[in-house]
Amino acid sequence: MNFKNNYLDIYKNMLRIRLVEEEIAKRYSEQNMRCPVHLSIGQEAIASGVMNHLNKEDKIYSTHRCHAHYLAKGGNLNKMISELHGKASGCCGGRGGSMHLFDEEAGIMSSLPIVGSVIPLAVGNALTIKLKKERLVSAVFFGDGAIEEGVYHESANFAKIQSLPVLFICENNLFSVYTPLNERQPSADLTRHAKSHDIKYLRCDGNDISKVNEFAFEAIEYIRKNNQPFFIQFDTYRHREHCGPNFDDELDYRKKNEVSFWFENDPIINEKNRLINDKILTENENKKLIDTYLNEIDEAFKFADQDSFPDPATAESFVYEF
Amino acid sequence: MNSSRNLTLSDALCEATHQAMKENKNVFVIGEGVTDPKAIFGTTKDLVNNFGVDRVIEAPLAENGLTGFCIGSAMSGMKPLLIHQRVEFALLSVEQIFNNAAKTHYVSAGKHSVPLVIRMIIGRGWGQGPAHSQSLEPIFSYVPGLRVIMPSLANDAKDMLYSALKEKIPTMFIEHRWCHYVTGDVKKSASKINLDGPKVIKKGKDITVVAFSYMIYEALLASEILEKFDISSEIIDLRILKPLNLKPILESVSKTRTLICCDTGFREYGISAEISASITENLFDSLKKPVSRIGLPNRPTPSSRALAANYYPTAENIIMEAKKILNFTDDILINMINYLKEKKPNIRADVPNPLFKGPF
């Protein structure tokens, strides 16, 4: 596999995610999407950079904050927006909502809301890959809170001892809801939780797409060559509230200088400026990209709006698979 | 020719696992101790020699993780059999069992399956104490999407484990340690059977007794005593606690108009409580007397055999409940109890059979 230096594609991928998330935020108050939403705004670079090196057949697992991962991996936009509306064409047929996105055709296996809960599922899929002698990678995204859960450590240990092709991606956005990392752990260096399991690791600024792209390549190459797990810590920041469409910095739980540091370190604005500087993109082309995506997103919302609700009589189906 | 041999229930489970692994290369076994010299009370004997360490995985002590690994592998095409030597170990994994194993098929609108079987072992006696062999089947039976199986008869256990491994439903397969010693005619080859619920294992007309797992043996003993005094009892082996198929129980109770339910676990909030409520809802007018429930008292299990003496229900408790329902005289009851003691002299409430020397 060669290093994919396709920064314009990655930028487009990030931009599209941002626009989808902003549209959800904008329309949330209409109360047609009646499920909790955990927006990925600010954290898009990690999803887009990692997915740049995963193939369609590779598997990913995600959390309550799954929109970016779902979209970056190629999850169907209509099925996502319909699911948020509780409609029949949603990826779960309206049974899961925003925190349960999956799209098997795109290798998106499962997203789960309970912190840490999805990590062993990714490891289990890697066990299948090993037993069936497939040459795939199973990647799992989780946050800085999940690494405090025992199940992360159980999963890391097992992945190492069984030599499983798992990529552990820890998105450290510094907060578990309102509780900062430094009140929960003695160090912001979360790679120590890889080291203790004898797993190779890297750490970088998760908002620096060049770095994310480079490190993801190195990790995934290593996994494919060695059938061993790998861990990456990406430091990042969410722009909006933990759950919901709004900004919530009036609550003062995050330091003002920290907020402004990370908002200025916006992966999409930075990358756009870089691409324009390097003459890979023009302002005009960027505007066209935005229009194209807004159009696509508008179509997805129209689709969801026109989509029917699931038949109430089907609520009893699929409890058991007889 | 599918000939029978006299085997223990634990040997029957071992044979079912060998057969399932031989027939389907996607079946794998994982757990703490599955390859060790004791081989989960003999139930995983020779598996690792026959199928190798890739398919018989000795696990680190990580029950919640293990359950998640099994769910993830089941969703991606494997058929895991996860084994816990004690049901309590599974308590560390209820998040995975309740949220992921049970719900995934439903939440994905049928697109995902979790064909996972988890074997868990419960027991009674031999000083196991408060946290080492509890009957926790009601908590698993509470959750929609899980199937809960509790075998009592050797060949049936073999067929049920084998069949569960062929199906796609996440299954809690709960074995009573004392049932491991039970012997019976066990067919060489396990059969795929319908896992559709309770079975009448003894016909009768005066009183219906619903039991499962080890309590089947106490019910059979009680039935033998009652029969000596011309009381005929119908015994239903519940077998599959969840999803609950009431039909065979309704049919039996419609005939006898009486019911005693026996739990291996606590009487309060137990399996019997659910059956009792359902039967009362459906057959209130036919019942001669209120439904009787037999189970453990509302306190933890003490270790000392002195404190555990009257803790576990036996055939005697079933006979006492039968008296309440059928109103036979005190003299008859005394004769029954004496006859029971004659039949089972030196019965010790905390030891399974005379060959057993502990520990388990």
Side-chain angles (χ1 to χ4, degrees):
Chain A
M1 197 170 114
N2 294 318
F3 180 63
K4 288 198 234 164
N5 202 9
N6 49 341
Y7 284 105
L8 183 60
D9 291 337
I10 301 173
Y11 170 70
K12 288 183 185 170
N13 193 305
M14 291 196 290
L15 177 66
R16 179 168 173 266
I17 297 167
R18 174 72 55 95
L19 294 170
V20 170
E21 295 292 68
E22 284 180 343
E23 197 62 25
I24 293 169
K26 202 169 104 192
R27 301 195 191 209
Y28 197 71
S29 61
E30 294 167 10
Q31 300 208 353
N32 292 320
M33 289 176 277
R34 283 148 75 164
C35 65
V37 289
H38 301 77
L39 300 178
S40 308
I41 296 173
Q43 307 187 195
E44 300 91 339
I46 299 162
S48 300
V50 169
M51 255 43 109
N52 189 40
H53 301 292
L54 291 177
N55 301 321
K56 193 178 164 199
E57 296 74 26
D58 291 319
K59 311 299 181 195
I60 69 154
Y61 288 79
S62 181
T63 66
H64 54 286
R65 200 175 306 287
C66 57
H67 298 181
H69 309 136
Y70 177 94
L71 292 168
K73 185 73 166 58
N76 183 297
L77 178 63
N78 285 358
K79 287 183 180 176
M80 169 181 160
I81 302 298
S82 261
E83 186 62 34
L84 268 58
H85 285 76
K87 296 291 183 79
S89 303
C91 55
C92 305
R95 290 159 177 245
S98 156
M99 298 188 281
H100 288 269
L101 300 185
F102 75 95
D103 186 342
E104 274 207 26
E105 282 170 37
I108 305 154
M109 300 301 289
S110 198
S111 307
L112 296 174
I114 298 302
V115 173
S117 186
V118 85
I119 301 174
L121 268 62
V123 172
N125 197 332
L127 183 62
T128 300
I129 291 169
K130 176 185 167 184
L131 292 171
K132 295 200 167 188
K133 299 187 168 60
E134 299 164 334
R135 293 205 57 82
L136 300 173
V137 172
S138 178
V140 57
F141 294 84
F142 53 90
D144 47 296
I147 211 157
E148 291 157 18
E149 298 283 356
V151 79
Y152 158 75
H153 297 274
E154 298 182 0
S155 300
N157 178 55
F158 190 78
K160 179 64 190 183
I161 208 91
Q162 287 285 327
S163 301
L164 301 179
V166 186
L167 176 58
F168 294 101
I169 303 137
C170 182
E171 296 184 7
N172 169 28
N173 69 10
L174 293 167
F175 283 83
S176 167
V177 193
Y178 299 116
T179 311
L181 181 59
N182 65 13
E183 285 180 23
R184 298 181 285 116
Q185 295 196 46
S187 159
D189 181 7
L190 306 178
T191 63
R192 69 190 195 282
H193 300 303
K195 213 181 301 178
S196 65
H197 297 291
D198 200 19
I199 291 175
K200 276 183 100 70
Y201 60 88
L202 287 167
R203 177 187 181 184
C204 72
D205 177 355
N207 285 16
D208 178 343
I209 188 61
S210 309
K211 267 265 162 340
V212 172
N213 192 36
E214 202 181 295
F215 281 20
F217 173 74
E218 190 180 330
I220 292 164
E221 270 289 282
Y222 175 85
I223 295 169
R224 290 195 206 280
K225 271 199 192 122
N226 300 288
N227 280 316
Q228 285 288 340
F230 203 103
F231 178 102
I232 315 181
Q233 173 179 352
F234 291 121
D235 299 306
T236 186
Y237 213 62
R238 80 177 134 73
H239 285 195
R240 306 209 180 193
E241 58 196 335
H242 160 70
C243 177
N246 304 308
F247 295 96
D248 66 348
D249 282 306
E250 77 282 1
L251 297 174
D252 271 342
Y253 67 101
R254 306 199 289 193
K255 290 195 187 83
K256 284 199 168 57
N257 59 350
E258 183 187 275
V259 174
S260 57
F261 169 82
W262 282 102
F263 274 60
E264 278 158 28
N265 184 18
D266 182 315
I268 293 173
I269 294 171
N270 284 352
E271 186 61 3
K272 184 198 121 187
N273 291 340
R274 192 175 76 92
L275 292 172
I276 286 176
N277 253 340
D278 292 355
K279 308 214 181 314
I280 298 169
L281 180 75
T282 65
E283 281 288 357
N284 203 27
E285 284 165 346
N286 191 54
K287 210 182 152 299
K288 274 188 193 153
L289 281 177
I290 292 174
D291 288 344
T292 310
Y293 291 139
L294 286 180
N295 235 333
E296 183 200 2
I297 294 162
D298 196 51
E299 288 300 317
F301 274 89
K302 272 187 198 142
F303 175 86
D305 195 41
Q306 285 158 16
D307 192 12
S308 52
F309 279 106
D311 177 356
T314 63
E316 286 173 30
S317 320
F318 305 122
V319 180
Y320 290 97
E321 189 169 8
F322 288 113
Chain B
M1 255 306 275
N2 197 0
S3 57
S4 292
R5 294 90 5 102
N6 195 258
L7 287 186
T8 62
L9 186 142
S10 57
D11 287 339
L13 293 175
C14 189
E15 285 191 350
T17 312
H18 277 270
Q19 188 180 336
M21 292 189 78
K22 211 167 155 187
E23 288 174 7
N24 184 350
K25 63 179 180 6
N26 292 334
V27 176
F28 72 90
V29 170
I30 187 166
E32 297 154 18
V34 294
T35 69
D36 77 12
K38 293 286 181 76
I40 317 281
F41 313 113
T43 59
T44 60
K45 198 165 168 276
D46 290 332
L47 285 176
V48 73
N49 299 334
N50 283 357
F51 301 103
V53 290
D54 276 356
R55 290 182 64 199
V56 186
I57 304 171
E58 186 60 43
L61 278 64
E63 292 80 6
N64 197 27
L66 289 173
T67 309
F69 311 149
C70 288
I71 294 166
S73 69
M75 286 170 67
S76 52
M78 303 302 291
K79 290 228 167 195
L81 171 59
L82 170 62
I83 308 176
H84 298 299
Q85 294 202 27
R86 292 285 181 275
V87 72
E88 285 84 357
F89 303 168
L91 290 178
L92 293 155
S93 65
V94 286
E95 195 282 314
Q96 287 294 333
I97 297 174
F98 287 12
N99 280 331
N100 300 340
K103 296 188 181 82
T104 294
H105 185 63
Y106 185 83
V107 174
S108 67
K111 292 186 196 90
H112 287 154
S113 306
V114 186
L116 162 65
V117 179
I118 306 179
R119 283 182 49 207
M120 298 181 271
I121 293 157
I122 63 166
R124 63 150 79 178
W126 202 260
Q128 291 295 317
H132 222 48
S133 53
Q134 301 165 81
S135 283
L136 298 176
E137 59 276 3
I139 65 170
F140 299 108
S141 301
Y142 182 67
V143 181
L146 297 180
R147 173 156 64 197
V148 180
I149 297 180
M150 289 186 76
S152 62
L153 307 174
N155 192 68
D156 194 34
K158 180 174 183 176
D159 286 345
M160 288 201 287
L161 179 60
Y162 175 78
S163 302
L165 284 167
K166 280 203 172 297
E167 294 193 0
K168 291 183 170 180
I169 297 170
T171 298
M172 310 293 110
F173 195 92
I174 304 175
E175 301 150 27
H176 199 289
R177 184 67 189 109
W178 287 15
C179 289
H180 279 164
Y181 298 103
V182 165
T183 56
D185 284 340
V186 175
K187 294 213 173 93
K188 265 219 161 99
S189 180
S191 305
K192 170 77 181 72
I193 56 169
N194 286 332
L195 295 169
D196 53 6
K199 259 190 193 156
V200 176
I201 58 164
K202 186 175 179 191
K203 286 256 173 216
K205 57 180 176 44
D206 299 323
I207 193 158
T208 300
V209 179
V210 171
F212 52 92
S213 184
Y214 173 72
M215 285 308 288
I216 281 293
Y217 295 96
E218 296 293 342
L220 284 167
L221 180 57
S223 168
E224 209 182 315
I225 310 298
L226 291 167
E227 207 162 270
K228 189 81 186 165
F229 294 82
D230 293 326
I231 295 165
S232 129
S233 49
E234 180 145 298
I235 301 180
I236 298 179
D237 183 355
L238 197 55
R239 299 167 72 243
I240 293 144
L241 283 55
K242 178 87 172 199
L244 179 59
N245 173 11
L246 274 181
K247 203 168 157 255
I249 306 172
L250 288 168
E251 281 167 10
S252 178
V253 177
S254 300
K255 185 175 69 182
T256 64
R257 300 171 60 205
T258 58
L259 176 60
I260 299 173
C261 303
C262 309
D263 261 287
T264 57
F266 297 113
R267 184 174 179 275
E268 287 184 21
Y269 296 93
I271 302 297
S272 297
E274 176 60 34
I275 293 172
S276 168
S278 301
I279 294 301
T280 308
E281 281 165 358
N282 284 283
L283 294 173
F284 183 76
D285 292 332
S286 329
L287 285 168
K288 284 190 212 161
K289 284 281 171 71
V291 176
S292 271
R293 286 184 283 156
I294 292 175
L296 301 175
N298 190 29
R299 56 178 186 262
T301 310
S303 178
S304 167
R305 60 189 174 280
L307 295 170
N310 294 315
Y311 185 74
Y312 298 108
T314 64
E316 193 173 322
N317 300 80
I318 299 172
I319 294 166
M320 309 269 273
E321 290 303 314
K323 180 186 185 294
K324 278 193 215 159
I325 291 173
L326 298 173
N327 279 327
F328 46 77
T329 63
D330 288 349
D331 286 350
I332 293 176
L333 178 67
I334 290 163
N335 290 339
M336 281 180 178
I337 302 297
N338 286 338
Y339 181 61
L340 174 67
K341 283 177 179 154
E342 217 174 280
K343 271 206 79 79
K344 287 263 166 186
N346 305 321
I347 208 163
R348 290 188 293 174
D350 70 332
V351 182
N353 76 27
L355 296 172
F356 180 76
K357 302 281 184 253
F360 74 78

